[in-house]
Amino acid sequence: MIASAPAAVFLNPPAKASWIYAALSAGLHVGYNLFLIRSYQVGELVQTYPIARGSSPIIITLAASFFASESIGPSALLGIALVSGGIISLSFIGKKLGTTGVAHSLGTGCFIAAYSVIDGIGVRLSGAPMAYTMWMCALWGILMLSMYIGMRDAKSLFTIRAGFIPAFIGGLVSLLAYGIVIYAMSVAPMGAVSALRETSVLFVAFIGYFFLGETLSVRKVLACTAIALGIIIIG
């Protein structure tokens, strides 16, 4: 909110038809935050994150077809399925999918799909992708701030904690990254954009291997291969 609200003031506002979508998306983002936190509380990160991120592209593709009348070719659909399947397979423990936190992870994936489709429709109506992004994020920040005060207190907002600067920089990067996603959805199918967005999991796997000393099992290699193949097909 600190970054997006001032920027929004200096931009021409998006078309009025898109405002309802910006408000709906802001509310859905709050739900996403709460579900994501809960999924981390009840499940392991290595299980919950791939399920949440991997399930959303398929859901988005189906929802965009129904609500935005998007059509997607068989090859792109295959690519999306490969990306989603590869990401979800990263959550398997051995040959089984862990059960702890799965419901919350799927709920998080549904929230991702919901706000993505809403933003995809909204940005196409806005005529101004950057302004739409800034105003949506400003509304999201206001709602999240209100939720935080309701669940905790207002005093703690003014307490500077360790890690504040990295967290602030991370927030700016996140804002920029999702702004790019919203812009991409204004000109390309939502499901394909979402699938390509979630391939960040692939880069995380390689960063973990090359810089953090993590192992790449046969399962991870196969999952990464499926994701890479899906990217090529979509492209």
Side-chain angles (χ1 to χ4, degrees):
M1 186 179 71
I2 294 175
S4 56
V9 173
F10 291 99
L11 295 171
N12 291 326
K16 290 183 179 180
S18 67
W19 275 94
I20 184 64
Y21 293 95
L24 284 173
S25 176
L28 288 168
H29 270 87
V30 173
Y32 156 74
N33 289 143
L34 296 177
F35 257 77
L36 182 64
I37 291 170
R38 183 57 181 165
S39 66
Y40 287 164
Q41 289 174 337
V42 301
E44 298 292 333
L45 175 63
V46 293
Q47 294 177 345
T48 57
Y49 189 77
I51 294 173
R53 307 310 304 197
S55 61
S56 59
I58 290 293
I59 301 173
I60 290 170
T61 301
L62 296 174
S65 175
F66 185 80
F67 292 105
S69 301
E70 279 193 355
S71 59
I72 192 163
S75 61
L77 188 59
L78 174 62
I80 293 169
L82 283 170
V83 171
S84 286
I87 294 172
I88 291 174
S89 69
L90 291 172
S91 66
F92 277 66
I93 301 175
K95 296 182 179 180
K96 296 182 179 180
L97 181 67
T99 56
T100 305
V102 170
H104 288 90
S105 300
L106 288 174
T108 303
C110 289
F111 270 104
I112 294 170
Y115 73 62
S116 296
V117 173
I118 291 295
D119 281 333
I121 297 172
V123 73
R124 293 173 186 179
L125 293 172
S126 71
M130 184 177 292
Y132 176 89
T133 301
M134 292 299 107
W135 279 106
M136 186 280 292
C137 288
L139 291 171
W140 173 17
I142 292 171
L143 290 176
M144 200 67 227
L145 182 65
S146 302
M147 180 67 68
Y148 179 91
I149 293 173
M151 296 176 67
R152 295 191 179 183
D153 58 80
K155 185 191 299 185
S156 61
L157 288 172
F158 301 97
T159 302
I160 302 299
R161 299 178 176 84
F164 171 79
I165 293 178
F168 182 76
I169 295 173
L172 289 178
V173 173
S174 178
L175 175 63
L176 174 62
Y178 191 58
I180 294 172
V181 170
I182 291 180
Y183 175 79
M185 290 192 296
S186 70
V187 295
M190 301 177 203
V193 172
S194 174
L196 293 175
R197 173 194 182 191
E198 305 307 350
T199 55
S200 58
V201 175
L202 179 64
F203 298 108
V204 169
F206 284 110
I207 289 171
Y209 175 74
F210 287 108
F211 297 101
L212 302 178
E214 296 181 357
T215 59
L216 273 179
S217 63
V218 174
R219 175 176 56 82
K220 284 186 178 180
V221 171
L222 290 174
C224 291
T225 301
I227 295 169
L229 183 59
I231 294 171
I232 294 170
I233 294 173
I234 293 171

